[in-house]
Amino acid sequence: RRDYVGILVLRGEGVFTDWRDRAWRVGPGDFIQHPPDLRHSVVPASTDWAEFYFRFPAAPYRALDELGLIDARPVLHPGLSAELVQRMEQLLAEARGAVRSDLPLVLVRMHELLVAVQRMARHAGRRERERSVIDLACQRLGERLSEACDLAQLADDLGVSYERFRKLFGQHVGQSPGEYRIHRRLDAARRLLRHEGLTVKETAYRLGYPDPFTFSRQFKRHT
């Protein structure tokens, strides 16, 4: 097939085999790309498979590619946002009601949809990377609670600037890294006090506080 074809999986699961014979498991929110002149196959693995697809000639696709607007990976992951579904519905409505003189505009709408899918996939990928950074940060902040934690060093270990780390952490977790660390220490304190029967003094020193008074003040302030 000499055209470009884009398929957004709406429902069900299947296997996409690309032009290099690599198999990709695909499901809702995945976007499958068939570049011009390359063979491929899509095999639904479930009976409830549903997809939205669009097709246009190779020349516009190559022009977009030359402009650096195309991520040519076989499968992207834009998700199924309300914005994307609305764009598909609008394109489908325009295509169904189009007469011959309308076809150039429909083609432009297809190009716009492709660029939008590519943009959403990039954003989704960035959010996934951010989420993995924050998940790892949460894990690290919940460990070695009796030791001092250098947040700037933690950010550096995670490959982001300290300011960027604080901003991302606040967006994803709803509190600063320092506050998160305090709450994890206090969670541990409650377990020690309630289940292991430690005194306030023993708990304070077990968790690395300089003295029981500092621990008590923080415990009362946050609990």
Side-chain angles (χ1 to χ4, degrees), residues 19 49 55 111 168:
W19 48 96
W49 176 271
R55 185 178 80 191
H111 301 163
L168 287 177

Side-chain angles (χ1 to χ4, degrees), residues 61-83:
Y61 169 82
R62 294 195 173 109
L64 292 170
D65 191 24
E66 289 176 3
L67 290 171
L69 300 176
I70 296 295
D71 180 342
R73 288 179 295 170
V75 180
L76 304 179
H77 310 285
L80 284 177
S81 67
E83 177 190 352

